Amino acid sequence: MEPSSYAAEKKGKGGIRRVINAFGYSIDGIAAAYRYEAAFRQVLWLNVLLVCAAFFGVSETSLRLPLVIASFVSVIVELVNTAIEAAVDHTSTDRHELAKRAKDAGSAAQLVAMLMLAAVWLSTLFG
């Protein structure tokens, strides 16, 4: 990276300062996804409810842990999907086959994560 580039300026710090900056950028990313993406808000609140249900409705830790992990995976995948969509839209909002493939793949990843979430819950409740 060029020393004068924006990215180098942001990443140029070392040690604990870099860790603190990275944490701040992560919080900024969650806040932006929450503010601008209805799908992220929906997935987040669904999973907040499911995690609460796991802690209050499931007594065994060995059953609760997969439920919580599946919820986190779903939120993580939605954040990645949001990032893909933002990057594609930043590049161009014109219709393009590669842009469609990228956005569809992000959406498919979230579908698979939600199917996993449903499977884990169903196997816990009825297994």
Side-chain angles (χ1 to χ4, degrees):
M1 259 185 258
E2 292 294 317
S4 63
S5 75
Y6 177 75
E9 177 186 323
K10 290 298 184 183
K11 292 184 175 191
K13 311 262 188 298
I16 192 70
R17 183 80 237 157
R18 185 175 188 144
V19 172
I20 292 168
N21 286 353
F23 180 78
Y25 302 145
S26 298
I27 296 301
D28 290 347
I30 292 168
Y34 190 86
R35 181 175 181 190
Y36 297 109
E37 293 294 328
F40 177 74
R41 289 190 298 274
Q42 293 165 354
V43 167
L44 180 67
W45 283 111
L46 169 67
N47 284 291
V48 165
L49 292 173
L50 290 175
V51 168
C52 290
F55 277 98
F56 293 113
V58 178
S59 58
E60 294 180 45
T61 302
S62 63
L63 294 176
R64 188 181 317 126
L65 187 58
L67 298 171
V68 172
I69 290 170
S71 283
F72 272 86
V73 168
S74 177
V75 172
I76 291 165
V77 170
E78 185 56 37
L79 282 167
V80 172
N81 185 33
T82 296
I84 290 167
E85 290 192 7
V88 167
D89 290 346
H90 170 72
T91 303
S92 174
T93 55
D94 293 342
R95 184 170 178 82
H96 192 282
E97 180 58 28
L98 292 175
K100 180 177 180 358
R101 278 192 240 163
K103 287 185 167 195
D104 289 352
S107 181
Q110 183 55 280
L111 174 64
V112 172
M114 293 301 249
L115 290 172
M116 179 190 67
L117 182 63
V120 171
W121 269 94
L122 291 171
S123 67
T124 299
L125 295 174
F126 303 110

